[in-house]
Amino acid sequence: MTKISHSAEWQALAADAEALEKTSMRALFSNDAGRFDRFSIEAAGLFLDYSKNKITDEVVGHLIALADATGLEDMRRRIFAGEHINVTEDRAVLHAALRDFSMRAYHLDGENISLLVRRELEKIKNFTVRIVSGADKGFSGKALDTVVNIGIGGSDLGPHMAVEALRPYWIDGRRTFFVSNVDGQQLVDTLEQIDPSRTLFVIASKTFTTQETMTNAKSARDWFLAQGGSEGDVAKHFVALSTNETAVEAFGIDKDNMFQFWDWVGGRYSLWSAIGLSISLAVGFDNFEKLLRGAHEMDEHFRSAPLRQNLPVMMALTGIWNRNFMGAAAHAILPYDQHLSHLPAYLQQADMESNGKGTTADGQPVAWATGPVIFGEPGTNGQHAFYQLLHQGTDLVSADFIAPAISQSALGDHHEKLLANFLAQTEALMRGKAIDEARADLAAEGKAPPDIDLLAPHKVFPGDRPSNSILMEKLTPEMLGALVAAYEHKIFCQGVIWGVNSFDQWGVELGKALASSILPALGPEGEEQPKSTGHDASTNGLLDRINNVRHQNG
Ligand code: G6Q
């Protein structure tokens, strides 16, 4: 396979970047009245304005040519067709089938998986109704109004983000907690706040072997038994979301209390599956279904719209432009909606675990930059924290600004102020401020010439900092579904262009294996341990130090 960075399309983009070096985005806007209309797309209720990227029609044409050269349309067909595009794990990637409400049937290796999906959704629906209505009760006859979701990574971040995002849809009186960390403090802090007789523990683990989740699940069950629950009550208070029936039963959860999903659902793409049970329990099944329907609408757009009019594709291509040709090593997710506070963490996993790779799907080292560092915070908080670097730092950082035009909780002029900040930031990043403008501002403030000389350099903003703006009417379940699906497809498209397999995660294995080998060397508190020799000097030294402190203070 020709290296993509040697292709004519890549070279054309590199030449575009060079040719644009002396042109500012400001100039691109002032010379082109149609820029906003041409560089924006509406789909599934989302509006994407990508005009504040340093692109021209020529650049967009070359980006589309690059997508064509990498076979993006064919890969799009193959993912929806259930081909095993996750080559290193020999799996299909069919999370879109989990939310497909059309009459389309998905067949995988000869099996109609749409029937499995419908059966499991029906089970989630019936269970949600029984729990929410109080028909299913806990061991003391009280309704189960509290859910503790125990899971990590893909079995935590998606449902956690969605439950938080859909706060205005929470069913009155219901409480949801998420426990992910093997640090026992998180579980202890959670257990302090709940009543065992009213709590449903949802053990979410695709493999049902993950150290953190199994440790937390076991401690939660021990606590439950110590708090008055009996072995026989475990069935009422513990359910499992998994693909591994044997391990679920071995843990002591009856398979009737297990909600299934399948190996063609990647962990970080699983919130649409049984892993979404905690969402359904928090906001009701109807709202969970609306979330799925919103995602489906985005899927329909993504699979049918031509690349140039395709919202996730253009998110991906502007990202490629910024990463590979403008040199942005980081990408900020900046939601101007407090309820999307967990979106940056969610997308951190979705993007960085998918595309943070240095080997192509066919096993060659990549010779180009792949996934950027993803980070973010809700606006306006981030403005008072790290935006300084976005505006004046020495590294280029691209950004997605996300905002609903209407707030779910109107309060005075809060939302107008929030939106004004969102718009101002994207404009400031794009326009910047030249030295003569900085000097003129200072003069208008009445500063003396020596002070103007001193301060003006600090008040210069280089501008040309790229951003996308993603607007929606309101953060409803449908809009959240569409937004998340758009990001999933964006990540997929970028993976195709970079030539990596976006659906494995071998990079998490080495640390896991080493942790297992280190664990036996850490004895219980108060116990003396032999001197460590099995690791490098730093790791041995740290281990000995920890063991000494634990021995002396235990
Ligand atoms: C996601 C990853 C990873 C996974 C967790 C939890 O794509 O595979 O984040 O979700 O490691 O795994 P289990 O669900 O198997 O416990």
Side-chain angles (χ1 to χ4, degrees):
M1 183 182 154
T2 335
K3 281 196 184 328
I4 190 65
S5 54
H6 293 168
S7 69
E9 294 79 9
W10 189 280
Q11 297 307 324
L13 286 160
D16 290 340
E18 215 180 305
L20 279 167
E21 243 169 48
K22 299 234 151 27
T23 310
S24 67
M25 265 201 259
R26 259 201 229 201
L28 293 175
F29 270 98
S30 45
N31 297 335
D32 177 4
R35 186 173 174 83
F36 173 71
D37 291 336
R38 279 202 324 290
F39 296 146
S40 53
I41 301 180
E42 190 158 16
L46 292 185
F47 181 84
L48 168 71
D49 166 24
Y50 59 95
S51 64
K52 290 194 186 97
N53 288 284
K54 200 171 182 181
I55 50 168
T56 59
D57 291 307
E58 200 162 35
V59 169
V60 172
H62 291 150
L63 285 167
I64 300 283
L66 180 69
D68 286 339
T70 52
L72 179 60
E73 285 185 274
D74 190 46
M75 279 300 279
R76 179 177 61 175
R77 179 194 61 73
R78 292 179 62 201
I79 188 175
F80 286 107
E83 290 190 25
H84 287 213
I85 62 163
N86 176 355
V87 285
T88 60
E89 296 179 318
D90 191 19
R91 285 176 183 167
V93 179
L94 272 174
H95 43 272
L98 298 165
R99 56 205 190 201
D100 193 331
F101 291 91
S102 69
M103 296 307 285
R104 194 182 282 132
Y106 288 81
H107 291 274
L108 183 60
D109 307 329
E111 188 175 22
N112 181 347
I113 60 164
S114 306
L115 294 177
L116 303 180
V117 169
R118 266 177 239 143
R119 187 195 66 199
E120 221 49 36
L121 266 182
E122 201 55 29
K123 193 168 167 186
I124 293 174
K125 179 179 178 175
N126 293 336
F127 185 72
T128 303
V129 170
R130 291 205 314 270
I131 294 292
V132 169
S133 66
D136 278 11
K137 297 187 177 14
F139 66 79
S140 66
K142 291 185 196 143
L144 295 162
D145 58 10
T146 305
V147 165
V148 178
N149 188 96
I150 297 183
I152 195 165
S155 300
D156 167 74
L157 289 160
H160 198 169
M161 176 275 295
V163 166
E164 205 47 50
L166 299 179
R167 184 178 270 263
Y169 299 85
W170 286 1
I171 297 169
D172 278 352
R174 296 202 61 76
R175 301 195 302 157
T176 315
F177 296 86
F178 288 86
V179 174
S180 53
N181 203 331
V182 78
D183 182 343
Q185 295 177 116
Q186 193 185 18
L187 182 62
V188 169
D189 293 348
T190 305
L191 297 178
E192 273 170 14
Q193 302 175 63
I194 61 173
D195 172 350
S197 69
R198 311 166 75 113
T199 299
L200 179 72
F201 289 95
V202 174
I203 315 299
S205 177
K206 182 173 169 180
T207 55
F208 233 72
T209 56
T210 304
Q211 184 194 52
E212 292 89 336
T213 303
M214 291 303 106
T215 307
N216 278 322
K218 189 179 168 309
S219 298
R221 190 179 52 188
D222 292 348
W223 174 85
F224 174 78
L225 294 174
Q227 298 289 313
S230 70
E231 286 287 354
D233 296 326
V234 168
K236 292 194 193 95
H237 289 264
F238 284 76
V239 296
L241 321 176
S242 188
T243 59
N244 187 348
E245 196 175 296
T246 315
V248 167
E249 286 195 297
F251 180 84
I253 295 180
D254 195 281
K255 72 172 188 302
D256 290 342
N257 288 345
M258 171 179 169
F259 296 80
Q260 259 201 322
F261 60 114
W262 308 274
D263 72 358
W264 43 267
V265 181
R268 54 193 174 276
Y269 299 91
S270 65
L271 77 88
W272 325 99
S273 70
I275 290 293
L277 182 69
S278 297
I279 309 172
S280 181
L281 291 169
V283 299
F285 183 80
D286 288 354
N287 284 320
F288 181 58
E289 186 178 318
K290 284 179 186 169
L291 175 81
L292 268 53
R293 285 187 183 275
H296 173 58
E297 214 186 309
M298 184 55 77
D299 295 342
E300 293 294 306
H301 164 76
F302 173 63
R303 63 195 290 170
S304 60
L307 301 188
R308 178 72 178 77
Q309 278 90 47
N310 199 306
L311 188 147
V313 170
M314 290 315 299
M315 282 170 76
L317 293 180
T318 50
I320 298 272
W321 172 249
N322 290 325
R323 178 78 180 109
N324 298 106
F325 302 97
M326 296 281 104
H331 183 70
I333 304 291
L334 308 170
Y336 278 63
D337 187 308
Q338 188 57 31
H339 291 155
L340 289 176
S341 59
H342 288 247
L343 185 70
Y346 170 77
L347 289 177
Q348 223 159 29
Q349 183 196 25
D351 199 315
M352 293 168 79
E353 203 165 74
S354 298
N355 288 337
K357 303 200 171 140
T359 306
T360 61
D362 55 4
Q364 303 303 312
V366 296
W368 45 89
T370 61
V373 173
I374 304 285
F375 72 105
E377 277 293 322
T380 58
N381 294 359
Q383 292 176 204
H384 297 261
F386 55 79
Y387 279 35
Q388 163 66 39
L389 184 148
L390 305 191
H391 286 286
Q392 291 186 317
T394 51
D395 284 307
L396 186 74
V397 177
S398 55
D400 287 347
F401 286 80
I402 304 164
I406 298 169
S407 170
Q408 285 277 12
S409 327
L411 179 66
D413 63 354
H414 284 243
H415 203 61
E416 291 81 337
K417 286 177 175 157
L418 181 72
L419 291 174
N421 275 283
F422 143 61
L423 293 168
Q425 289 299 327
T426 69
E427 188 173 17
L429 287 165
M430 182 276 285
R431 287 182 62 82
K433 190 186 269 191
I435 184 85
D436 51 331
E437 292 171 315
R439 295 186 70 89
D441 284 354
L442 289 163
E445 284 168 28
K447 292 271 187 270
D451 290 338
I452 294 178
D453 290 343
L454 181 79
L455 286 173
H458 300 281
K459 302 239 177 190
V460 169
F461 291 71
D464 274 357
R465 309 262 154 149
S467 70
N468 288 319
S469 296
I470 302 173
L471 290 180
M472 65 188 84
E473 188 182 304
K474 220 179 198 186
L475 184 56
T476 59
E478 291 91 338
M479 284 303 95
L480 181 68
L483 180 70
V484 174
Y487 273 104
E488 288 179 345
H489 298 315
K490 168 207 161 165
I491 291 163
F492 163 71
C493 293
Q494 293 190 329
V496 171
I497 293 169
W498 285 323
V500 299
N501 175 6
S502 301
F503 302 104
D504 60 12
Q505 54 283 316
W506 301 107
V508 303
E509 296 299 328
L510 179 59
K512 260 196 224 172
L514 276 175
S516 313
S517 80
I518 289 173
L519 184 59
L522 284 157
E525 279 178 32
E527 217 174 74
E528 192 169 1
Q529 298 302 317
K531 219 170 155 39
S532 313
T533 53
H535 304 275
D536 58 87
S538 162
T539 311
N540 285 334
L542 292 167
L543 197 46
D544 289 342
R545 201 177 169 84
I546 292 169
N547 276 332
N548 285 341
V549 173
R550 287 165 60 84
H551 175 216
Q552 282 154 21
N553 297 294

